[in-house]
Amino acid sequence: MNYFALIPAAGVGARMAVGYPKQYLPLLGRPMLRHTVEAFLRCPQVAHTYVVVSAEDAYVDEVLPAGLAGVTVLRCGGATRMESIRNGLRLLAEGAAADDRVLVHDAARPGLTPALVDKLIAEAGRDPAGGLLALPVVDTVKSTRRGSVATTPRDGLWLAQTPQMFPYALLMRALEEAPDPDAITDDASAVELLGFSPRLVEGHPRNLKVTLPTDARIAEMYLSMDTEQ
Ligand code: CTP
Ligand code: MG
């Protein structure tokens, strides 16, 4: 069984609003995407890393030069994250067996470490339903859905991160059959709709998704820290 990484990096970063896609934002002097890819390159268990960018991407050749071992850039990005991933998976069809595991990981999570990848593979790598990194909710959760404020018990609640890892054939089927692509906010939710129960593996706050301008400084703080995670 092989483990492959698939990194969607075809977004525009509208909320970050730096004038170019946020995956190229320098963090400690290196583009965010390069940090993200390095986590997998430093992980011997991952056989190969695929990065999905948009067809018009003008930056990737400099950040991931053609000769860089272990990485393939796929210029097949779609209009949504889910489409980018689906397009990438289709291009993997010839090289991936049904049972090979695909670790889908957002380019916008540069704080991932090889240790976290190893932990995910160790705890969920053989689970037929796959698994994902997630964080237990620590704050008290409030809901305003029914017009008044209510408190939702936080036990049993998790915040989903990536990587999200599934057998190739299962993930392909889940994304091809997803009834409403806009309602699919992560890969695991598409797999859950098929009746599978992916395993949740505790991640780490350093694996935050860089979404807003203030997140970039937090990401740099974690990237500058030595961490056992
Ligand atoms: N992504 C993608 N293709 C898209 C949209 C998003 O590959 N059409 C990727 C992004 O590049 C990112 C990940 O999916 O690595 C998570 O998406 P998000 O954080 O929402 O990034 P953006 O869509 O770029 O940001 P925004 O929503 O603020 O525009
Ligand atoms: Mg987005």
Side-chain angles (χ1 to χ4, degrees), residues 11-217:
V12 296
R15 287 169 288 179
M16 181 63 71
V18 281
Y20 52 89
K22 68 182 177 188
Q23 53 272 28
Y24 300 112
L25 186 73
L27 298 173
L28 301 184
R30 304 183 93 188
M32 186 188 308
L33 177 62
R34 186 67 196 228
H35 286 283
T36 308
V37 167
E38 293 288 343
F40 291 105
L41 293 183
R42 284 161 49 215
C43 199
Q45 297 200 79
V46 174
H48 201 82
T49 298
Y50 296 90
V51 179
V52 176
V53 300
S54 75
E56 311 76 62
D57 190 301
Y59 306 90
V60 74
D61 290 337
E62 204 175 313
V63 175
L64 303 174
L68 188 63
V71 185
T72 302
V73 174
L74 307 172
R75 293 183 167 272
C76 62
T80 63
R81 177 184 183 277
M82 200 194 104
E83 277 179 74
S84 295
I85 293 164
R86 205 170 49 191
N87 293 349
L89 286 175
R90 284 178 183 154
L91 292 181
L92 261 64
E94 292 201 353
D99 265 357
D100 284 342
R101 294 327 198 230
V102 182
L103 286 79
V104 180
H105 180 68
D106 292 328
R109 293 183 185 272
L112 184 68
T113 59
L116 284 168
V117 176
D118 284 345
K119 184 179 182 190
L120 177 65
I121 291 176
E123 292 188 28
R126 305 217 146 245
D127 193 320
L132 58 142
L133 292 183
L135 283 183
V137 171
V138 293
D139 292 320
T140 299
V141 179
K142 300 289 183 188
S143 154
T144 55
R145 257 188 223 129
R146 292 190 184 86
S148 61
V149 176
T151 304
T152 302
R154 69 169 172 246
D155 50 296
L157 291 185
W158 296 71
L159 302 172
Q161 297 186 331
T162 67
Q164 303 201 347
M165 172 182 60
F166 307 96
Y168 174 78
L170 175 62
L171 182 58
M172 190 77 255
R173 186 179 142 218
L175 297 187
E176 297 281 11
E177 291 182 13
D180 174 8
D182 289 334
I184 298 294
T185 55
D186 71 345
D187 317 290
S189 55
V191 169
E192 291 154 21
L193 286 175
L194 297 180
F196 289 83
S197 197
R199 193 180 290 249
L200 299 187
V201 175
E202 187 163 348
H204 192 278
R206 62 168 293 131
N207 188 28
L208 77 155
K209 185 157 75 72
V210 179
T211 306
L212 302 170
T214 49
D215 298 331
R217 301 288 80 80

